[in-house]
């Protein structure tokens, strides 16, 4: 019985020590989220409906993250309830068509379908 307690204690200490070694990841995230400014004359906003989403965290947030990480995109929001994505992007780097393809490629390309795509030029 004493050996079992010692083994359990050693495993617990090992797990605790291993799980606390992720200090450098926050620095990496800060660098990855840095975006360049988009000139006002190049800023456009696109809105489109995304069919096929089944949950907010697994679908909407994944799509939002993929869009936000795309070069030339300054901001992206995906509303699960209304199924509408709104993306602010640099028209010299992206288009509604490329953003549509980005969404439709998420999850292997057979989960999501973009409909009712519209764009407008933001007046800043």
């Amino acid at each position: 019985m004493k050996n079992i307690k010692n083994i359990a204690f050693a495993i617990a200490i090992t797990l605790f020590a291993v799980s606390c070694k992720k200090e450098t990841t926050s620095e990496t995230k800060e660098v990855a989220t840095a975006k360049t400014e988009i000139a006002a004359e190049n800023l456009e906003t696109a809105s489109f409906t995304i069919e096929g989403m089944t949950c907010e965290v697994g679908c909407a947030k994944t799509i939002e993250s993929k869009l936000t990480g795309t070069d030339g995109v300054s901001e992206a929001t995906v509303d699960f309830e209304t199924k509408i994505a709104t993306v602010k992007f640099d028209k010299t780097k992206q288009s509604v068509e490329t953003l549509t393809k980005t969404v439709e490629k998420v999850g292997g390309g057979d989960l999501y379908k973009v409909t009712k795509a519209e764009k407008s030029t933001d007046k800043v």
Side-chain angles (χ1 to χ4, degrees), residues 77-110:
T77 56
V78 178
D79 187 344
F80 174 71
E81 296 297 322
T82 61
K83 299 181 181 184
I84 295 176
T86 305
V87 184
K88 292 185 179 184
F89 64 98
D90 185 339
K91 68 181 178 183
T92 63
K93 295 182 179 182
Q94 295 293 333
S95 67
V96 174
E97 292 78 20
T98 59
L99 295 171
T100 297
K101 288 178 185 177
T102 299
V103 171
E104 291 180 346
K105 286 181 185 176
V106 174
D110 57 350

Side-chain angles (χ1 to χ4, degrees), residues 17-35:
V18 171
S19 67
C20 294
K21 292 187 178 183
K22 296 184 179 182
E23 296 174 9
T24 59
T25 58
S26 64
E27 294 173 12
T28 306
K29 287 181 182 177
E30 290 175 16
V31 172
T33 58
K35 293 281 186 180

Side-chain angles (χ1 to χ4, degrees), residues 39 53-54 115:
M53 292 190 295
T54 58
T115 60

Side-chain angles (χ1 to χ4, degrees), residues 14-70:
T14 303
L15 289 174
F16 179 73
V18 171
S19 67
C20 294
K21 292 187 178 183
K22 296 184 179 182
E23 296 174 9
T24 59
T25 58
S26 64
E27 294 173 12
T28 306
K29 287 181 182 177
E30 290 175 16
V31 172
T33 58
K35 293 281 186 180
T36 57
E37 291 293 320
I38 298 173
E41 63 271 6
N42 294 335
L43 184 65
E44 284 192 356
T45 301
S47 296
F48 40 85
T49 303
I50 303 173
E51 298 297 329
M53 292 190 295
T54 58
C55 63
E56 187 169 359
V57 175
C59 298
K61 292 300 178 192
T62 300
I63 295 168
E64 186 175 295
S65 174
K66 185 70 170 176
L67 286 169
T68 303
T70 303

